[in-house]
Each structure stands twice: as C-alpha cells, then as structure tokens.
Amino acid sequence: MNRGEEHNLILRITAFLLFLVSLIMMLISKRSSVTVSISLGEYGTTFQYRFNDYKPFRYVVAVNIIACAYSVIRIIEELTGLSGRFYFYLSLIFDQLMAYIVLSSASAGVGCIILTKELFDGGDIDDEGVRKFVKYASASVSIQLMGFLVIAGCAVISGSPVIRLYKLLIVWVPRRSVLPIVIFSSKAVLGRDNFVLT
C-alpha cells in the first residue's frame, strides 16, 4: 500500500466516523417534540409537532445511513486492494456522486433548521424541545458538512489515477469562452500528440 492509498484509507475511515456521529446526533434530535396549542376565540386545538415529520430531516438521516454504508464498502475495497481502469472510473464517479448527495442533504438540513428557528423563536412557544432539537440538528448538519469535505478529498485522490492515466489538463479561460478548453496529450488515448477540444 503506497502513501496515497494510506491517505485515502485514513480519509475513508474519518468520513465513516463523521457520518456515524452525524447520524447519531440527528437521531437524538428527532426524538424531540413540541405540544402546540392554538386557540381561536372559544375554539381551540392542541397538536403534537414532531420534528421527524419534516422531510428534510428524514433526508439527512437517510443520506447519513447511505454515506456510512458507502464508506464501509470503500474501506473494504481499499483494504482488499482493488485496481484497474474500470475501478478507477467507478471510484471517481461514485465519490463525486456521494459528495454531491451529502452536500445537498446538508443544505436541506440547514434550511429546515433556519425555518424551525424562525417558526418557534419569538413566538408563544418557548419549549425546551425546540432548543434541544435545534442544537442537536445543527451539530449533526455541521458534522455532515465536515464529512462532505472529507469525501471531496477522497474524490480528488480517487480521480488522480484517471487524470494521470490520460494526462488530462483542463485550462479555464473565462474571458474568451464560457466553456473550458480541454487538452489531451496522450498518444495512447487519441493516437496523436495534441488534441484541443473547445
């Protein structure tokens, strides 16, 4: 196992631990509930407001479970030493896909936390359950964002063999074009020395 593989394994273990802690924190916060009483003149009602009824929070929990499972699978793959061109492509694609899913989950969680705080702060409802939920959910989403950074680092590491395989250089030219210029310089891929695609 070379140093790059060791670093990748350490990052994968770190990602698993971060997603596991984030999952536990969100599951603790999901047990919080608030009893809300609404009275309109002589009519009134009371209902139970449970935070696990929110779809964004269920999405955060589901993505944490998927990310934990994905991290375990990737740790096993790193320990067994799988390699090959097809494996590099799959590794690059799935690492980037998982990073985007985790980021979208964290952003949904942040938005729902902000809405929950605005809904209950400054109103008639000042419940300990709301404060406890916001505290744990904020910690969970923050840890999930740290997990995103680790998965993004794994995506960079897993993408480096593909870039080295094709000797791919991407040059960004913002003043001349909106699209990047991609330059391939590999005889094995294209059969010529230089090929420019704009």
Side-chain angles (χ1 to χ4, degrees), residues 19-33 50-52 57 60-61 64 128-140 143:
F19 291 128
L20 183 64
V21 170
S22 176
L23 175 65
I24 291 169
M25 297 287 276
M26 188 56 83
L27 289 177
I28 289 171
S29 70
K30 278 180 67 173
R31 293 190 327 201
S32 304
S33 62
R50 291 183 308 252
F51 296 107
N52 57 354
F57 295 133
V60 169
V61 170
N64 278 329
E128 182 64 30
V130 176
R131 288 193 292 273
K132 179 181 172 187
F133 169 76
V134 168
K135 180 177 75 171
Y136 282 118
S138 298
S140 173
I143 294 169

Side-chain angles (χ1 to χ4, degrees), residues 33-38 45-50 120 125 127:
S33 62
V34 178
T35 302
V36 179
S37 298
I38 298 175
T45 185
T46 302
F47 65 94
Q48 193 79 8
Y49 178 81
R50 291 183 308 252
F120 289 109
I125 304 164
D127 196 291

